[in-house]
Amino acid sequence: MKVPHMRLILAQSAEWRRAMGKEGALVAVDPPDKVAESVLIAESDMPPLRAIVEAPIIHHDGSIRFEHGYDRATRLMHWATHGVTYPEIPDAPTAADVAAAVALIDEMIADFPFEAQADKANWVGLLITAMIRHLIDAPVPVAIIDAPMPGTGKTLLAELVSIVMTGRTAALAGMPRSEEELEKRITTQLHAGASLVVWDNIEATVRSESLTRLVTSTTWEGRLLGSTTQLILDARATWVLTGNNVTLG
């Protein structure tokens, strides 16, 4: 393979930006020749990268990677925020350790007006799902946070999951009404590597062939917004819908 071919592959695999000017504005550029040359030289030793995550990486055996860098077991890159430290977690937690962890989760959501214990358990399930989604080689359900009226904390419950996963609140968006736009929005989110997607303030009945296809398969095929390019992507994001009196089609 020659450098131009590798540049094409790199261009199809990622969006390339360069900081320009005094303000450091990010401008779209083509992959540099030097990068393509380096990849060609190291291609035989280049490990596969599934995704970049910002939370410590949990392994199938229960061990956790806290260090910044590539994790061969999961093929994930832990992009640790500079200066962040994590509390020490014992390899064999005691009953007291588990109770303390449960108490910490309870404290996070103590003021939310859950209608029943089952609703609280479902939110805890959403939190755990988001944290171990990379370990699940199967589809997972969409989470729906529903309430009878505005101002009850639906969006904040969704943002809590994002804060635990990434240290910041989620980017909120409305769910597209048209099926064509929804398909392209899903493709764009997965192509961007989103690990958690929150569609906020759903007002209509949720009925979508695209959404059904998304949560019943481990791969996704679709087109990007503003593009005719068809992509096949790993569908491992966690999806959350919030709304008042949400009904399902």
Side-chain angles (χ1 to χ4, degrees):
M1 184 183 296
K2 296 183 179 180
V3 170
H5 297 153
M6 179 52 69
R7 287 184 65 192
L8 176 61
I9 293 173
L10 292 174
Q12 293 173 335
S13 302
E15 295 179 0
W16 296 78
R17 299 285 188 268
R18 174 175 294 169
M20 304 289 284
K22 294 182 179 179
E23 301 298 327
L26 296 179
V27 179
V29 295
D30 293 327
D33 283 342
K34 289 184 178 180
V35 175
E37 292 169 0
S38 298
V39 173
L40 280 172
I41 293 171
E43 188 176 13
S44 59
D45 299 321
M46 189 73 67
L49 178 64
R50 177 189 288 178
I52 297 173
V53 297
E54 295 169 272
I57 298 171
I58 301 173
H59 298 136
H60 281 285
D61 63 1
S63 60
I64 304 174
R65 180 193 176 99
F66 294 96
E67 300 82 13
H68 176 97
Y70 181 73
D71 183 70
R72 289 188 176 275
T74 58
R75 295 180 294 166
L76 298 175
M77 168 71 78
H78 179 210
W79 193 267
T81 304
H82 180 70
V84 169
T85 58
Y86 300 102
E88 185 175 347
I89 298 178
D91 293 332
T94 65
D97 293 326
V98 175
V102 172
L104 180 60
I105 295 175
D106 284 340
E107 181 184 355
M108 287 170 53
I109 56 177
D111 296 325
F112 288 93
F114 291 104
E115 186 174 3
Q117 279 296 107
D119 300 305
K120 178 180 175 181
N122 271 317
W123 183 86
V124 174
L126 165 62
L127 177 65
I128 295 173
T129 299
M131 295 301 296
I132 65 169
R133 183 67 185 93
H134 61 277
L135 297 178
I136 304 174
D137 294 319
V140 299
V142 165
I144 298 178
I145 301 177
D146 186 29
M149 64 182 68
T152 51
K154 302 178 300 298
T155 302
L156 183 55
L157 269 177
E159 289 186 332
L160 273 177
V161 179
S162 178
I163 290 170
V164 171
M165 287 181 62
T166 67
R168 62 178 183 277
T169 57
L172 306 177
M175 181 176 174
R177 295 291 183 90
S178 76
E179 198 68 25
E180 182 180 2
E181 183 183 357
L182 179 60
E183 177 186 320
K184 291 182 179 180
R185 184 75 63 82
I186 291 171
T187 306
T188 301
Q189 293 278 17
L190 292 176
H191 185 253
S195 56
L196 178 72
V197 180
V198 180
W199 287 332
D200 199 30
N201 291 324
I202 305 297
E203 296 180 350
T205 298
V206 179
R207 180 186 290 109
S208 166
E209 293 180 4
S210 296
L211 198 58
T212 301
R213 181 160 54 94
L214 175 68
V215 298
T216 55
S217 176
T218 56
T219 58
W220 171 264
E221 183 175 356
R223 290 176 295 167
L224 293 171
L225 284 171
S227 172
T228 58
T229 302
Q230 200 78 2
L231 300 175
I232 299 177
L233 302 164
D234 195 8
R236 285 183 184 263
T238 302
W239 303 81
V240 183
L241 310 183
T242 76
N244 299 311
N245 301 305
V246 177
T247 58
L248 303 178

